[in-house]
Amino acid sequence: QVQLVESGGGLVQPGGSLRLSCAASGFTFSNYAMRWYRQAPGKERELVATITSAGGSTNYADSVKGRFTISRDNVKNTVYLQMNSLKPEDTGVYYCNAQNRYFQYWGQGTQVTVAS
């Protein structure tokens, strides 16, 4: 059974940091590019960060460049999103996504709220 389980969300003050994790199981994790998306209330889901299957290349939305870092551990089957200098506009539900040429999987999401 395929599972992507996100964790690490919560309430943080502006300027703070959070580290999200997404634990994968039920598929060959190292064969999939991994992505983090987020969805703010009333807005469409947007792509935040991407990492290739071997972890050799990453990409970020302009809004998070220099503040967020995506990484992965293909031994632990886990992808991470380190979020620093958080802003209120970073608030939303963060989703983990796994995709290769044939399949795509989603996690259930974890809430991140940036507020004072």
Side-chain angles (χ1 to χ4, degrees):
Q1 180 183 1
V2 171
Q3 281 194 308
L4 292 172
V5 180
E6 299 99 333
S7 61
L11 173 65
V12 63
Q13 292 187 342
S17 297
L18 283 175
R19 188 195 196 204
L20 305 183
S21 299
C22 173
S25 61
F27 63 99
T28 306
F29 180 74
S30 58
N31 288 349
Y32 286 71
M34 298 299 297
R35 294 176 174 86
W36 286 97
Y37 287 78
R38 67 185 179 190
Q39 187 165 20
K43 294 189 176 181
E44 293 186 355
R45 193 171 296 188
E46 64 170 340
L47 177 61
V48 174
T50 302
I51 188 166
T52 53
S53 58
S57 181
T58 57
N59 275 292
Y60 299 91
D62 287 343
S63 58
V64 307
K65 277 181 183 176
R67 301 188 298 121
F68 290 12
T69 302
I70 188 171
S71 61
R72 67 189 295 162
D73 185 330
N74 283 353
V75 174
K76 295 182 178 179
N77 289 350
T78 302
V79 63
Y80 305 96
L81 186 68
Q82 178 67 43
M83 305 186 295
N84 299 328
S85 302
L86 283 161
K87 304 175 181 180
E89 51 264 43
D90 295 318
T91 294
V93 179
Y94 282 69
Y95 297 92
C96 175
N97 169 275
Q99 186 172 13
N100 69 3
R101 184 176 180 180
Y102 306 102
F103 302 103
Q104 180 174 217
Y105 308 118
W106 290 92
Q108 82 290 346
T110 186
Q111 176 70 44
V112 171
T113 303
V114 184
S116 54

